[in-house]
Amino acid sequence: MNMPLTERPHRDLTVGEIAAALPGATAVFRRYGLDFCCKGNVLLADSACLRGVDVAEVEAALASLDPAAVDTTMPDDTAGLIAHILSRYHEVHRHELPELIELARKVEKVHAERARMPCGLADLLQRLSGELETHMMKEEVMLFPAMAQAPPGMLAAPISCMRHEHEDHGAHLQRLEAITDRFTVPADGCRSWQVLYAGTAKLADDLMQHIHLENNILFPRFSPTTT
């Protein structure tokens, strides 16, 4: 007989399982650089090993969480969860990405001679914006409406497609971190540079949480398929 999630050691659970079940876990995973969205099917022990992090330290951080202190107002019902994803993530991405692209082009142009200038950041954000727009439209026009009508198990194929596209988004996030040195502004970086990196860091956090909600919470309600 399988043990309940709450009785199993965290290292023996996948990061996706932990992120879905434990309020505040995603903040811990972001702090340690563990991929809980696109690689949510990886055991915590393996994820920590890949990142070069002490799994016992991560487990201690998870154990210290106070679920009562975490905002858990996110809807549990599917319709409410989809509405939350649309308003909190789809609308926000569409609003923030064009501003970040424009700001990145400004910083790259003004600081073209600087060694730590984030070369290619604007183009990467432009590509991410285009791919995200296509992805979100597929969800809004086809997948989310289908979820209101289709019985569980009938959406495995489109959900698998969305999961694969999420992996592409995750690859862009890794490149984003590399270009910005994990969003580290040079000591003498100008105000525009500071605002750019603060904005891209927020984008990365938002997109990881967005993918987590879909991969680990919404999609499993309609398809058990994992990648």
Side-chain angles (χ1 to χ4, degrees):
M1 183 174 63
N2 292 332
M3 295 175 61
L5 292 182
T6 55
E7 297 180 10
R8 293 162 57 190
H10 285 130
R11 68 183 62 201
D12 294 337
L13 299 171
T14 67
V15 288
E17 288 174 327
I18 299 169
L22 180 60
T26 57
V28 172
F29 292 153
R30 285 197 296 270
R31 187 162 76 243
Y32 287 97
L34 305 184
D35 186 350
F36 58 90
C37 54
C38 300
K39 302 297 182 183
N41 60 339
V42 177
L43 291 176
L44 175 61
D46 295 335
S47 182
C49 181
L50 289 171
R51 193 68 177 180
V53 174
D54 182 358
V55 67
E57 184 178 338
V58 180
E59 286 182 311
L62 293 171
S64 69
L65 289 172
D66 178 7
V70 178
D71 181 7
T72 56
T73 57
M74 186 180 64
D76 289 327
D77 65 291
T78 296
L81 178 57
I82 290 174
H84 173 74
I85 290 170
L86 291 173
S87 63
R88 174 60 185 83
Y89 298 104
H90 286 208
E91 291 182 14
V92 172
H93 295 331
R94 287 181 172 123
H95 174 72
E96 294 182 346
L97 267 164
E99 297 178 358
L100 289 174
I101 293 167
E102 182 178 354
L103 189 55
R105 295 207 185 281
K106 174 184 176 182
V107 170
E108 289 186 57
K109 180 179 180 179
V110 172
H111 301 286
E113 304 303 319
R114 295 281 297 273
R116 295 184 60 186
M117 184 271 290
C119 182
L121 178 58
D123 287 344
L124 176 60
L125 290 171
Q126 185 77 61
R127 180 177 178 183
L128 176 59
S129 179
E131 292 183 5
L132 262 180
E133 181 59 33
T134 300
H135 176 86
M136 293 188 297
M137 285 297 295
K138 290 178 186 176
E139 292 181 333
E140 294 166 7
V141 174
M142 297 181 289
L143 182 59
F144 290 168
M147 286 177 169
Q149 303 176 6
M154 296 299 292
L155 297 175
I159 284 175
S160 177
C161 177
M162 294 297 99
R163 288 184 184 274
H164 283 298
E165 291 183 6
H166 285 167
E167 291 182 0
D168 293 337
H169 303 335
H172 290 327
L173 289 179
Q174 291 180 348
R175 180 61 181 154
L176 192 66
E177 286 195 358
I179 290 177
T180 61
D181 190 20
R182 301 197 69 180
F183 315 110
T184 304
V185 182
D188 58 348
C190 68
R191 179 60 178 166
S192 293
W193 206 328
Q194 296 170 15
V195 172
L196 172 62
Y197 278 19
T200 52
K202 178 185 180 298
L203 169 68
D205 282 347
D206 278 357
L207 187 51
M208 288 186 69
Q209 188 69 16
H210 178 183
I211 294 172
H212 154 65
L213 291 180
E214 294 184 354
N215 276 4
N216 301 324
I217 298 179
L218 179 61
F219 291 171
R221 298 178 183 183
F222 296 90
S223 170
T225 303
T226 59
T227 57

